[in-house]
Amino acid sequence: MKTYAIATIPGDGIGKEVVPAGQQVLEALAETSSTLRFAFENFDWGGDYFRAHGVMMPDNGLDAIRHKDAILFGSAGDPHIPDHITLWGLRLKICQGFDQYANVRPTRILPGIDAPLKRCGPEDLNWVIVRENSEGEYSGVGGRVHAGHPIEAATDVSMMTRAGVERIMRYAFKLAQSRPRKLLTVITKSNAQRHAMVMWDQIALEISREFPDVTWDKELVDASTARMINRPASLDTIVATNLHADILSDLAAALAGSLGIAPTGNIDPERRYPSMFEPIHGSAFDIMGKGLANPVGTFWSVVMLLEHLGERAAAASVMRAIERVTADAALHTRDLGGTATTADVTRAVCAFLAADAVSRAA
């Protein structure tokens, strides 16, 4: 029997509701399996920890989770703490500390969800966005001088390295190669950003020669927003910089129906460190504690976590349960136009997992 060590970090806001729901689903999955178990350790890092200790997580926090098999994360963000403190003090500290350089965000229209695009069927919007997760616009390079004076100045430098661009391009091409359509779109802005983005384009061309079976094209980031809406079927795998993919993946989630259903994985492809999985919806303090949060994004993140661990059958079982829940309008949360609660959806997914195990055993 295999036991996986999972670190749970609910973080802030509705993360404290959806991460326990994700743990509940993994526990329900283990109950149906004779070979799979999970050992959870919870870490109370986030805004409340900051108020008590002055930091979002302890200085040696990475050592506490370094040897886990995976991390299930909720959200970072607190209306009473500046955003740059919550983000850099927790989520980015983990992502950069563990060199989780590939942020992977699948998007598709799940059964039963009324997506906003007209004349777009589920087969037309089935994307995966690969976001460079370690440098670019979020590298942290920059500074601020002469604060409070008329000559005050601030800089944020988008830093790209050949090593960083090569590895994310190679990851994206490999991912595209593994998908049925073998199609990749490289997002750029090299018409205006004439140094780093030109290098980005050049390296994309170089790496493409290693994957002759992958069809690829290049699209300016502004034009890509229109393409996602007007020609969704022309896209499949997408690779973009840290900032560009951050924005495009939120648009993709909205086009698929709701940010509440969208998952992500912060991946260390070399598996030197644990990878981290999280919904993309943020802390949503306006609905915190009301039982209104959609846990589907967390459950889909659990699917990605299981796939990363090599437990593909278990991942497929959870995905089937998710699709059965979204297909039932009575189990839609408020963001999808329904009245179901976080607990309702969680119970339903767990029940479907149990029923699926019985049907497979019969």
Side-chain angles (χ1 to χ4, degrees), residues 113-154:
I113 292 181
D114 183 20
L117 285 183
K118 296 179 181 179
R119 301 182 302 278
C120 177
E123 70 282 356
D124 296 326
L125 200 165
N126 187 345
W127 307 329
V128 59
I129 297 176
V130 177
R131 170 185 175 187
E132 200 292 313
N133 207 35
S134 65
E135 50 183 41
E137 303 88 348
Y138 298 171
S139 62
V141 176
R144 189 170 174 180
V145 296
H146 307 303
H149 295 280
I151 59 171
E152 182 174 1

Side-chain angles (χ1 to χ4, degrees), residues 314-327:
S317 182
V318 176
M319 199 70 222
R320 283 193 298 270
I322 290 170
E323 291 176 340
R324 290 182 68 179
V325 164
T326 62

Side-chain angles (χ1 to χ4, degrees), residues 297-310:
T298 300
F299 299 160
W300 198 345
S301 299
V302 164
V303 171
M304 297 182 72
L305 182 154
L306 291 166
E307 289 174 341
H308 184 73
L309 294 177

Side-chain angles (χ1 to χ4, degrees), residues 213-226:
D213 57 335
V214 175
T215 301
W216 75 286
D217 66 349
K218 185 173 68 174
E219 187 79 79
L220 294 175
V221 63
D222 44 333
S224 71
T225 60

Side-chain angles (χ1 to χ4, degrees), residues 17-240:
E17 299 167 62
V18 296
V19 166
Q23 178 174 335
Q24 192 174 335
V25 166
L26 282 169
E27 289 170 341
L29 180 69
E31 289 176 4
T32 70
S33 173
S34 61
T35 60
L36 193 59
R37 292 292 181 270
F38 301 97
F40 297 96
E41 185 175 0
N42 188 67
F43 296 86
D44 63 346
W45 304 335
D48 291 340
Y49 192 92
F50 180 86
R51 277 181 279 273
H53 303 282
V55 291
M56 294 290 289
M57 63 182 285
D59 292 339
N60 63 349
L62 292 180
D63 291 333
I65 57 177
R66 185 180 304 275
H67 301 295
K68 301 295 184 182
D69 292 301
I71 305 162
L72 185 61
F73 186 81
S75 62
D78 187 302
H80 306 294
I81 304 171
D83 288 341
H84 68 280
I85 291 176
T86 59
L87 184 63
W88 282 94
L90 183 56
R91 184 184 174 278
L92 288 184
K93 185 171 182 178
I94 296 171
C95 290
Q96 293 195 348
F98 288 154
D99 200 18
Q100 297 166 345
Y101 65 83
N103 179 278
V104 182
R105 298 188 170 190
T107 305
R108 62 184 174 91
I109 301 175
L110 295 176
I113 292 181
D114 183 20
L117 285 183
K118 296 179 181 179
R119 301 182 302 278
C120 177
E123 70 282 356
D124 296 326
L125 200 165
N126 187 345
W127 307 329
V128 59
I129 297 176
V130 177
R131 170 185 175 187
E132 200 292 313
N133 207 35
S134 65
E135 50 183 41
E137 303 88 348
Y138 298 171
S139 62
V141 176
R144 189 170 174 180
V145 296
H146 307 303
H149 295 280
I151 59 171
E152 182 174 1
T155 61
D156 277 297
V157 179
S158 175
M159 184 189 71
M160 295 186 192
T161 65
R162 169 165 284 274
V165 178
E166 282 185 351
R167 67 183 185 177
I168 199 63
M169 286 295 176
R170 192 168 283 113
Y171 182 93
F173 271 96
K174 284 181 180 178
L175 182 58
Q177 187 181 53
S178 73
R179 287 168 61 83
R181 298 176 65 191
K182 300 185 187 302
L183 176 65
L184 176 66
T185 297
V186 176
I187 303 298
T188 186
K189 193 57 182 170
S190 52
N191 60 339
Q193 295 175 279
R194 59 186 181 145
H195 301 297
M197 292 305 305
V198 170
M199 184 181 76
W200 171 272
D201 291 352
Q202 291 171 344
I203 292 174
L205 177 60
E206 293 169 13
I207 299 299
S208 72
R209 298 183 181 121
E210 301 175 16
F211 301 89
D213 57 335
V214 175
T215 301
W216 75 286
D217 66 349
K218 185 173 68 174
E219 187 79 79
L220 294 175
V221 63
D222 44 333
S224 71
T225 60
R227 180 174 170 184
M228 290 170 76
I229 295 169
N230 295 327
R231 297 187 293 127
S234 71
L235 296 163
D236 186 82
T237 308
I238 300 165
V239 62

Side-chain angles (χ1 to χ4, degrees), residues 237-249:
T237 308
I238 300 165
V239 62
T241 67
N242 217 327
L243 174 62
H244 293 164
D246 190 7
I247 296 167
L248 293 179
S249 57

